[in-house]
């Protein structure tokens, strides 16, 4: 590679080149989320020092809260990268927790998880096919699907929670741990790593990004953009289903509203993480860290003693601010 | 220059090609051919149907009627993927480069090498190393200079983006390369580079179609000129037998009829 090789200056040449390349490519935008995470962590560590923010059990709690958000966020990253959006994810998470709870009792823990994932994949397929073939924007299709799936989940067990008594399921997907590492953390890392590799190392990941960046250019090069958009929406719904499995495992129940209110949190996590809301730029690692940021915010607001109503308001304001900041960056670059 | 075996044989023949968009007849019964080792100019005013013709050949649009023959065999080109598999590469006016991807990824987009055997191929595990070294070779062979192959396209200048798009077409277009205004946004030196590239494609026996508004380029590099006007072919001439003024007269409609 030839690069500029000016010799003098306070920074080593390699560092300056790296910075120059960052600035020319995507700006420092991809790193904002890490700075934000460190800043918020530091802030809460100081002002919530006496409220137990830094205790091991609280940090573990943040991790547990972040896990389903992160899993959903990884899936949502692919939907957004393809220039689609999936508003049905929260409802899919809830329905999947019920499906898993229902199936686990009769067919064992693997069947429970598989059935939940299959439900998600099918919902994503329907979302994708309607979006692509009927040419309705995905935000409308998935908004409709959100209602449909929420309704189905409410009908499924008459608003009652469904207990899960399968120890294997609860250990693998919820409270269990491998040595000192909780299984939720392991699943989050596995899903995040898999998503990162798929985005960067597999042809499909590059095609998702291409279709989202410039659909007609991708099509002109022979990429089947319809298939790509459908599979991207299937990915986000399947990830939401897996988040439902994790929530069910953690709480040992399936319920019609598990994860239902996570939609906005997930979108905020993904966008703060550096993914463009309108396609063509995506970061799986950023989405995972963004999820941790959102979980920390949630946790901090609770520890501050805000009432639920005030938490809602504060979270809404923070999300709008954060997304506005990251969108402004994206328009500039 | 051109190898005697392939030169002047028809690579692509279209006949009776028509395409309309609602009330607008964009192409009306157009017939033309492209020959191996020859550069054909496609001329016409804005809206004459040049880009529509290119998009019909490259599978972006499906024509309402007409027949396409490639190497003498009748072929349907229902999609860009089919066109590319038949050896037809296109540089569209919009370039069709993907901004967030880097130079290597753009050169190999939808033509990626995979590693890891059959499973790797099924999963689509990218062989980035191989693609990077082949990219270096492709760009070197075409004398295209890009500061870094790992740069994303959005960090490149207009000329560099165009060079990558043309390089991609040249690299994969084994038979037929269609260029829709490839030098429109370029400076003098870069435009000259593009003309060199077209000549080397021609010398390699590739059939080239060049859309341009620049008559100098036509006389410099093209063997034949096809002129469209309001969707119809109104001239099909040897560039050597006409003047630039003649070509302009065809384009503006001041002269019609010479179909050689």
């Amino acid at each position: 590679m030839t690069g500029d090789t000016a010799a003098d200056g306070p920074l080593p040449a390699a560092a300056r080149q790296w910075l120059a390349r960052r600035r020319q490519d995507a700006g420092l935008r991809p790193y904002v989320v890490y700075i934000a995470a460190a800043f918020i962590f530091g802030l809460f560590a100081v002002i919530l020092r006496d409220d137990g923010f830094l205790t091991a059990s609280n940090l573990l709690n943040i991790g547990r809260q972040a896990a389903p958000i992160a899993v959903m966020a990884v899936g949502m990253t692919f939907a957004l990268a393809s220039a689609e959006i999936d508003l049905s994810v929260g409802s899919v998470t809830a329905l999947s927790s019920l499906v898993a709870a229902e199936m686990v009792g009769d067919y064992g823990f693997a069947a429970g998880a598989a059935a939940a994932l299959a439900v998600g994949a099918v919902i994503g397929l329907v979302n994708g096919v309607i979006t692509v073939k009927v040419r309705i924007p995905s935000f409308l299709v998935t908004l409709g699907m959100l209602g449909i799936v929420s309704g189905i989940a409410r009908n499924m067990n008459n608003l009652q929670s469904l207990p899960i008594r399968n120890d294997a399921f609860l250990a693998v997907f919820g409270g269990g741990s491998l040595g000192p590492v909780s299984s939720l953390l392991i699943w989050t890392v596995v899903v995040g790593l898999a998503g990162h590799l798929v985005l960067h190392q597999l042809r499909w990941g590059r095609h998702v990004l291409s279709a989202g960046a410039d659909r007609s250019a991708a099509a002109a090069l022979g990429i089947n953009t319809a298939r790509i958009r459908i599979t991207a929406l299937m990915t986000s719904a399947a990830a939401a289903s897996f988040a439902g499995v994790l929530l069910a495992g953690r709480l040992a129940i399936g319920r019609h509203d598990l994860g239902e209110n996570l939609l906005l949190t997930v979108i905020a996590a993904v966008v703060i993480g550096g993914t463009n809301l309108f396609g063509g730029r995506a970061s799986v690692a950023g989405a995972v860290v963004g999820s941790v940021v959102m979980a920390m915010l949630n946790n901090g607001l609770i520890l501050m003693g805000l009432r639920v109503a005030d938490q809602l308001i504060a979270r809404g304001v923070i999300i709008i601010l954060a997304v506005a900041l990251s969108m402004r960056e994206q328009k500039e670059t | 220059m051109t190898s005697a075996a392939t030169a002047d044989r028809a690579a692509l023949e279209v006949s009776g090609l028509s395409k309309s968009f609602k009330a607008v007849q964009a192409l009306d019964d157009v017939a033309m051919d492209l020959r191996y080792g020859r550069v054909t100019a496609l001329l016409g005013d804005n809206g004459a149907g040049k880009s529509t013709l290119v998009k019909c050949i490259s599978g972006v649009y499906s024509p309402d009627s007409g027949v396409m023959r490639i190497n003498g065999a009748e072929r349907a080109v229902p999609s860009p993927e089919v066109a590319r598999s038949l050896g037809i590469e296109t540089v569209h006016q919009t370039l069709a480069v993907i901004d967030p991807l880097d130079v290597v990824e753009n050169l190999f987009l939808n033509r990626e090498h995979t590693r890891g055997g059959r499973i790797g191929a099924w999963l689509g595990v990218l062989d980035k190393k191989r693609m990077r070294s082949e990219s270096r070779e492709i760009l070197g062979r075409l004398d295209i200079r890009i500061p870094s192959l790992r740069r994303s396209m959005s960090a490149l200048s207009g000329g560099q983006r165009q060079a990558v798009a043309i390089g991609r077409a040249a690299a994969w277009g084994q038979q037929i390369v269609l260029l829709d205004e490839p030098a429109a946004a370029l400076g003098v030196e870069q435009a000259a580079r593009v003309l060199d590239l077209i000549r080397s494609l021609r010398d390699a026996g590739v059939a080239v179609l060049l859309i341009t508004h620049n008559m100098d380029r036509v006389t410099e590099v093209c063997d034949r000129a096809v002129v469209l006007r309001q969707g119809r072919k109104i001239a099909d001439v040897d560039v050597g037998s006409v003047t630039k003024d003649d070509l302009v007269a065809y384009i503006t409609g001041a002269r019609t009829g010479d179909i050689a």
Side-chain angles (χ1 to χ4, degrees), chain A residues 53 55-66 180-182 184-185:
Chain A
F53 180 79
T55 60
S57 70
N58 189 55
L59 294 181
L60 214 62
N61 198 21
I62 291 174
R64 272 199 290 266
Q65 287 205 356
V181 191
S182 105
L184 284 177
L185 184 63

Side-chain angles (χ1 to χ4, degrees), chain B residues 102-169:
Chain B
D102 68 22
V103 174
V104 176
E105 290 172 326
N106 267 284
L107 282 173
F108 280 87
L109 195 57
N110 211 23
R111 286 289 178 275
E112 296 89 351
H113 291 311
T114 58
R115 63 192 163 87
R118 209 180 299 167
I119 295 169
W122 183 77
L123 283 172
V125 181
L126 299 173
D127 190 345
K128 294 191 170 183
K129 219 167 152 187
R130 180 174 167 204
M131 290 191 279
R132 200 173 307 134
S133 72
E134 284 188 18
S135 295
R136 216 169 279 135
E137 188 218 324
I138 290 167
L139 296 178
R141 179 153 40 87
L142 300 170
D143 197 25
I144 294 170
R145 278 168 226 148
I146 302 291
S148 165
L149 293 181
R150 295 193 206 210
R151 272 289 155 77
S152 72
M153 291 302 290
S154 53
L156 299 184
S157 72
Q160 289 168 332
R161 293 158 61 83
Q162 217 142 12
V164 171
I166 295 168
R168 176 172 60 200

Side-chain angles (χ1 to χ4, degrees), chain A residues 7 9 21-22 40 53 74 96 99 113 125 153 165-166 197 211 235 290 306 310 326:
Chain A
R21 200 162 69 214
R22 290 298 128 189
I40 291 169
F53 180 79
V74 170
S96 298
V99 169
L125 179 66
R165 297 197 178 85
N166 183 308
L197 289 176
T235 303
L306 261 62
D310 295 331
S326 47

Side-chain angles (χ1 to χ4, degrees), chain A residues 27 30 39 59 66 89 100 144 153 190 198 207 225 258-259 270 308 316 326 329:
Chain A
F39 175 75
L59 294 181
V89 287
V190 165
V198 167
H207 286 190
T225 55
L258 282 191
V270 175
V308 174
S326 47
E329 266 273 354

Side-chain angles (χ1 to χ4, degrees), chain A residues 24 200-201 203 206-207 221, chain B residues 84 105 112 124 126 128:
Chain A
Q24 281 199 323
H200 290 278
Q201 301 297 331
R203 176 170 44 210
R206 301 284 88 188
H207 286 190
L221 291 166
Chain B
R84 293 188 80 187
E105 290 172 326
E112 296 89 351
L126 299 173
K128 294 191 170 183

Side-chain angles (χ1 to χ4, degrees), chain A residues 16 35 170 186 220 330:
Chain A
R16 251 181 299 121
I35 299 164
L170 298 179
I186 293 172
Q330 283 165 6

